[in-house]
Amino acid sequence: MKDIKFYKLLVFVNALVPLALVGWDWRRGHLGANPLDFVTRTTGTLTLVFLVLTLLVTPLRKLTGANWLVRLRRMVGLYAFFYGALHLLCYVWFDKWFDLAAMAQDVARRRFILVGVLAFTSMVPLAVTSTDRMIKRLGGKRWQKLHRLTYLAAAAGVLHFYLLVKSDVRKPLAFAAAVALLLGYRLYASYTKGATPLSLKAQSPPR
Ligand code: HEM
């Protein structure tokens, strides 16, 4: 894949589109009766969508042999973290007005907040170790082990979503099915080893 720069640019620009649309609708007052709630929910959903897309890269490249996909993964993962940080900021700012005591109370009393904190916290080491320097410093094997935290972040994100919805659980269940399928594939591949083309086995940590 020669033109990876173009694909990176494509992903970079497209991943900003939802944010631009929310900003545009905000300016025009089209975010409904509770705009802050809308933005919190949208950024939460985007976090989960980008986590799922991150998890999709390995199965896709193993099944299709399109190794170059791995070079887009870091950016997609960083977008998950970016939208997660915006989501957290919405909560800290618009929901709690930076009131630390109220936030601590929320974490202690509401299970879905606690699980959300777990999901976000597990994404921090992933973002911090995403640079080439950190990959080198940690070494490929350790880096890959650490990056299994993505599984925890996705699973906790889904549980957070499931716990917060009051009646219609269809959306969280759809995300749960996607995450289960993607993690199940990994489990299957690690047992059979057959799903991994030889060309992929010798690869160093993905860039
Ligand atoms: C410190 C971490 C987090 C806090 C405090 C937090 C808090 C919240 C709050 C207050 C809501 C709105 C609940 C409501 O309107 O009833 C929400 C919704 C949501 N959050 Fe989080 N969250 C956190 C992390 C995450 C993470 C890491 C993810 C994804 C991996 C995520 C995904 C979602 C989703 C999907 C929704 C619901 C969207 C919808 O209703 O369509 N959250 N979160």
Side-chain angles (χ1 to χ4, degrees), residues 93-106:
W93 192 347
F94 307 139
D95 202 346
K96 297 293 161 204
W97 301 103
F98 297 99
D99 183 342
L100 281 179
M103 283 186 254
Q105 217 174 48
D106 229 13

Side-chain angles (χ1 to χ4, degrees), residues 105-185:
Q105 217 174 48
D106 229 13
V107 173
R109 285 199 188 148
R110 299 164 90 189
R111 256 189 321 163
F112 87 89
I113 296 285
L114 178 67
V115 178
V117 171
L118 173 71
F120 185 74
T121 311
S122 51
M123 288 166 74
V124 175
L126 300 173
V128 171
T129 59
S130 66
T131 60
D132 288 339
R133 240 183 80 200
M134 285 306 281
I135 296 173
K136 249 196 201 142
R137 233 171 113 177
L138 282 173
K141 279 234 162 87
R142 272 200 294 168
W143 184 89
Q144 264 169 344
K145 267 195 182 153
L146 179 75
H147 276 246
R148 289 192 192 138
L149 276 176
T150 317
Y151 312 158
L152 176 65
V158 167
L159 183 62
H160 165 73
F161 193 4
Y162 181 80
L163 289 174
L164 73 88
V165 293
K166 308 244 161 28
S167 52
D168 187 355
V169 291
R170 276 178 302 176
K171 268 201 230 165
L173 285 186
F175 275 112
V179 170
L181 194 72
L182 294 169
L183 297 188
Y185 172 83

Side-chain angles (χ1 to χ4, degrees), residues 57-127:
V57 170
T58 295
L60 257 188
R61 78 181 235 270
K62 284 187 177 176
L63 291 172
T64 64
N67 289 351
W68 57 273
L69 283 173
V70 85
R71 299 183 63 189
L72 304 174
R73 186 168 61 185
R74 170 163 46 191
M75 192 184 293
V76 179
L78 283 173
Y79 264 112
F81 183 71
F82 170 67
Y83 281 114
L86 282 183
H87 179 61
L88 177 59
L89 184 68
C90 288
Y91 168 79
V92 170
W93 192 347
F94 307 139
D95 202 346
K96 297 293 161 204
W97 301 103
F98 297 99
D99 183 342
L100 281 179
M103 283 186 254
Q105 217 174 48
D106 229 13
V107 173
R109 285 199 188 148
R110 299 164 90 189
R111 256 189 321 163
F112 87 89
I113 296 285
L114 178 67
V115 178
V117 171
L118 173 71
F120 185 74
T121 311
S122 51
M123 288 166 74
V124 175
L126 300 173

